[in-house]
């Protein structure tokens, strides 16, 4: 790297710290930044700083937000009595993209995992319980992942919610659209068969 | 080298980069092994939905001549233990057993008896054949025995008086000595746990009795309570730390 001046070496080394970016890609990106118009580079650096300075967790649902309460929690056109429980902010974005749900969310910020030492006190469970009474929630949709940890978290929450007068639902799991049956695992196929419907 | 094929139980997985997983298995023929599953996070066909903790799988993996982890080539599901994933308490106990094996067992050393014990315990947990606490006692007693850390419950560790000849009903177990200590030999040392004679008898039975008949054993509530408290102090003492899954279990019991 001696053949590059030190500011470029620093830039390459910082870019290569990003996930999925190796030395060669970092070098290519650094040279692109060098050639790009100054205004474009300023916008990039400003947006990186802005993300660090302004993004926080919504005080109600714990999704990513630039305000104390996020846009979805502030949107009164959505179903106010429904809450969809997800593991991470990215899961909430995935459900939103589907357009199939119009209620509110609750981001647990993790999932119960005995071997990683993540217990009920380490995720946003207590906050979910308070929201159910405070916001008069009537339905809780459990949309944690279908991994062992996600399933166990979902059953644990369902168990804890039994004492509340709410309808508890779990997202369905089965064959993906365009999926090839012979590549689907036995557990998913069994669930798909159990959940079959009349046509 | 030609690919190796073995049944294995998945212990844990760690994400590696954007697409790969590093998975630790407890295999029947090769003991504990760590493999890299390339593109496991991305591909919907290759390992779809089966690389989950506690599943029994048939693995095919290849070992490279150069440095680096062996590569998982193929995995097919033998037993998914679907009921464990739907119950947080069962998952916590399975996680505790998996963590003990992961922490304790030496890599690449075949341990068929420990494998059989682990699979038996997961099956019993999945089918609710035994109370989770009783199953945990059975697993810990047998696992410690197989690992060479069998607690001495047969006689006083100091004067060698046999347990049936010790007069008191509550006998002290000294963790530092790894065994029982009778009243006459008892000093004011720390790390002592009290066990009733009835509990000692049941602990000895689960450790040595026929595993196929183990589901028949009925622990009294006192034996369950004493047995769990004893083993959950004895095991971390020898492991040198409290397993994270045990902390999780304790949190759950609250």
């Amino acid at each position: 790297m001696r053949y590059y001046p030190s500011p470029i070496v620093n830039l390459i080394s910082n870019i290569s710290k990003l996930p999925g970016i190796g030395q060669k890609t970092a070098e290519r990106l650094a040279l692109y930044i060098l050639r790009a118009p100054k205004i474009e580079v300023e916008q990039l650096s400003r947006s990186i700083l802005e993300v660090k300075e302004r993004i926080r967790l919504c005080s109600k649902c714990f999704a990513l937000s630039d305000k104390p309460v996020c846009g979805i929690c502030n949107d009164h056109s959505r179903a106010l009595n429904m809450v969809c429980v997800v593991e991470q902010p990215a899961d909430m974005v995935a459900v939103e993209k589907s357009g199939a749900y119009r209620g509110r969310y609750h981001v647990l910020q993790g999932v119960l995992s005995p071997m990683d030492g993540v217990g009920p006190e380490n995720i946003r469970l207590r906050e979910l319980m308070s929201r159910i009474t405070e916001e008069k929630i009537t339905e809780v949709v459990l949309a944690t992942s279908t991994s062992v940890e996600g399933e166990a978290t979902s059953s644990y929450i369902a168990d804890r919610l039994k004492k509340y007068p709410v309808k508890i639902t779990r997202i369905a799991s089965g064959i993906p659209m365009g999926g090839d049956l012979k590549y689907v695992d036995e557990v998913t196929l069994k669930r798909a068969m159990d959940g079959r419907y009349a046509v | 080298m030609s690919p190796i094929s073995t049944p294995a139980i998945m212990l844990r997985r760690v994400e590696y980069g954007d697409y790969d997983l590093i998975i630790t298995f407890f295999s029947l023929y090769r003991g504990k092994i760590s493999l890299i599953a390339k593109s496991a996070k991305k591909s919907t066909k290759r390992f779809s939905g089966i690389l989950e903790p506690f599943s029994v799988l048939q693995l095919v993996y290849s070992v490279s001549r150069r440095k680096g982890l062996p590569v998982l080539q193929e995995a097919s599901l033998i037993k998914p233990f679907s009921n464990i994933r739907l119950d947080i308490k069962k998952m916590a106990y399975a996680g505790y057993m998996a963590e003990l094996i992961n922490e304790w067992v030496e890599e690449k050393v075949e341990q068929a008896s420990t494998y059989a014990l682990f699979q038996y315990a997961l099956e019993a947990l999945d089918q609710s054949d035994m109370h989770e606490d009783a199953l945990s006692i059975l697993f810990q007693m047998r696992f410690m025995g197989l690992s060479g850390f069998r607690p001495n419950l047969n006689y006083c560790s100091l004067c060698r008086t046999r347990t049936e000849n010790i007069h008191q009903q509550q006998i002290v177990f000294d963790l530092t000595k790894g065994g029982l200590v009778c009243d006459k030999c008892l000093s004011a040392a720390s790390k002592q746990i009290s066990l009733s004679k009835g509990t000692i008898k049941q602990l000895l039975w689960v450790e040595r009795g026929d595993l196929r008949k183990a589901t028949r054993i009925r622990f009294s509530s006192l034996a369950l309570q004493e047995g769990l408290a004893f083993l959950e102090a004895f095991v971390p003492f020898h492991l040198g730390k409290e397993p994270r899954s045990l902390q999780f279990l304790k949190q759950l019991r609250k």
Side-chain angles (χ1 to χ4, degrees):
Chain A
M1 289 278 245
R2 275 182 305 167
Y3 26 83
Y4 285 123
S6 64
I8 299 181
V9 174
N10 288 343
L11 184 58
I12 293 172
S13 125
N14 283 321
I15 294 174
S16 65
K17 286 178 191 163
L18 298 174
I21 295 187
Q23 197 70 25
K24 274 195 172 178
T25 312
E27 204 173 320
R28 203 158 48 84
L29 292 174
L31 292 176
Y32 171 81
I33 290 169
L34 186 68
R35 281 197 301 270
K38 197 179 174 193
I39 187 159
E40 209 177 293
V41 178
E42 278 173 352
Q43 274 172 358
L44 175 68
S45 58
R46 252 202 315 274
S47 55
I48 292 172
L49 279 174
E50 205 179 350
V51 161
K52 284 306 289 176
E53 283 162 5
R54 290 186 51 196
I55 299 299
R56 59 176 96 180
L57 296 182
C58 167
S59 59
K60 277 189 172 181
C61 71
F62 303 100
L64 299 176
S65 171
D66 57 345
K67 296 186 183 76
V69 177
C70 72
I72 291 177
C73 289
N74 258 337
D75 184 351
H76 293 280
S77 68
R78 300 181 76 105
L80 304 179
N81 54 352
M82 268 178 98
V83 67
C84 175
V85 180
V86 292
E87 289 173 22
Q88 298 292 349
D91 301 329
M92 186 193 99
V93 174
V95 179
E96 270 301 284
K97 275 184 188 167
S98 75
Y101 175 75
R102 290 291 296 161
R104 285 176 171 177
Y105 291 90
H106 187 85
V107 185
L108 292 172
Q109 295 290 339
V111 68
L112 299 176
S113 174
M115 284 177 78
D116 297 316
V118 182
E121 287 163 23
N122 306 108
I123 57 174
R124 304 282 187 177
L125 255 182
R126 199 177 303 144
E127 290 86 348
L128 174 66
M129 304 302 160
S130 346
R131 282 186 74 187
I132 285 165
T133 39
E134 282 165 19
E135 296 176 27
K136 299 188 175 76
I137 302 291
T138 55
E139 181 175 350
V140 178
V141 184
L142 298 169
T144 53
S145 67
T146 52
S147 65
V148 167
E149 294 87 351
E151 294 273 26
T153 306
S154 157
S155 72
Y156 178 76
I157 297 174
D159 194 49
R160 290 279 305 270
L161 290 178
K162 273 181 191 159
K163 59 183 174 189
Y164 297 93
V166 286
K167 183 179 169 189
I168 308 159
T169 52
R170 172 83 171 121
I171 52 163
S173 66
I175 315 294
M177 291 303 287
D180 194 333
L181 278 189
K182 62 179 176 288
Y183 293 119
V184 176
D185 65 283
E186 291 89 330
V187 181
T188 308
L189 206 50
K190 185 179 178 295
R191 284 199 184 179
M193 207 46 97
D194 291 344
R196 68 188 185 277
Y197 55 89
V199 285
Chain B
M1 277 178 78
S2 59
I4 297 163
S5 177
T6 178
I9 302 170
M10 186 170 155
L11 296 178
R12 64 173 310 171
R13 60 169 177 228
V14 180
E15 293 187 0
Y16 184 73
D18 286 343
Y19 308 120
D20 307 339
L21 292 173
I22 292 178
I23 310 174
T24 308
F25 291 100
F26 187 47
S27 69
L28 179 58
Y29 305 135
R30 305 282 166 143
K32 191 175 88 169
I33 45 170
S34 291
L35 309 177
I36 185 158
K38 291 197 170 166
S39 300
K41 281 164 70 185
K42 190 175 65 171
S43 169
T44 54
K45 290 179 180 173
R46 209 162 168 214
F47 304 117
S48 166
I50 60 172
L51 296 180
E52 290 289 328
F54 324 124
S55 300
V56 182
L57 304 163
Q58 180 68 36
L59 305 180
V60 178
Y61 67 95
S62 58
V63 184
S64 159
R65 281 201 186 91
R66 287 175 290 170
K67 277 185 183 174
L69 286 173
V71 180
L72 181 63
Q73 303 291 353
E74 208 183 304
S76 47
L77 195 61
I78 301 175
K79 283 179 184 168
F81 297 129
S82 320
N83 296 327
I84 293 179
R85 58 198 293 156
L86 296 174
D87 186 327
I88 191 75
K89 206 173 170 196
K90 286 181 180 188
M91 186 185 115
Y93 276 106
Y96 177 49
M97 295 173 200
E99 192 174 356
L100 286 189
I101 290 174
N102 190 41
E103 293 283 345
W104 217 301
V105 166
E106 199 181 336
E107 282 211 35
K108 295 171 192 161
V109 178
E110 184 192 329
Q111 298 200 28
S113 306
T114 309
Y115 183 90
L117 172 67
F118 190 31
Q119 186 164 333
Y120 171 87
L122 290 174
E123 265 164 23
L125 207 55
D126 188 62
Q127 296 302 312
S128 303
D129 288 341
M130 269 177 100
H131 188 278
E132 291 98 346
D133 292 344
L135 190 63
S136 179
I137 289 175
L138 176 132
F139 178 84
Q140 290 178 85
M141 280 301 289
R142 289 195 175 237
F143 178 73
M144 293 308 277
L146 289 167
S147 308
F149 288 89
R150 177 176 289 118
N152 168 28
L153 300 173
N154 293 305
Y155 47 81
C156 170
S157 302
L158 298 172
C159 68
R160 307 262 158 182
T161 306
R162 292 205 62 80
T163 309
E164 55 269 27
N165 299 331
I166 298 174
H167 296 300
Q168 72 263 29
Q169 281 307 303
Q170 288 291 125
I171 307 175
V172 163
F173 187 95
D174 192 325
L175 290 179
T176 55
K177 294 189 173 54
L180 297 173
V181 178
C182 72
D183 246 9
K184 290 173 197 159
C185 304
L186 196 61
S187 63
S190 58
K191 291 176 181 164
Q192 292 176 345
I193 297 161
S194 174
L195 289 172
S196 66
K197 270 189 169 172
T199 305
I200 293 171
K201 203 173 161 187
Q202 287 196 302
L203 289 176
L204 284 170
W205 193 91
V206 294
E207 204 250 316
R208 285 177 197 165
D210 188 349
L211 200 55
R212 287 167 300 179
K213 293 178 187 165
T215 48
R216 291 186 199 168
I217 191 158
R218 296 283 173 267
F219 278 91
S220 65
S221 59
L222 177 72
L224 270 184
Q225 199 184 329
E226 281 187 347
L228 269 187
F230 158 62
L231 285 162
E232 288 175 5
F234 180 74
V235 174
F237 180 80
H238 286 285
L239 190 62
K241 63 175 182 182
E242 186 171 54
R244 285 196 277 195
S245 46
L246 183 57
Q247 292 168 19
F248 180 91
L249 253 176
K250 286 178 180 171
Q251 217 183 93
L252 213 60
R253 284 182 195 144
K254 279 185 205 165

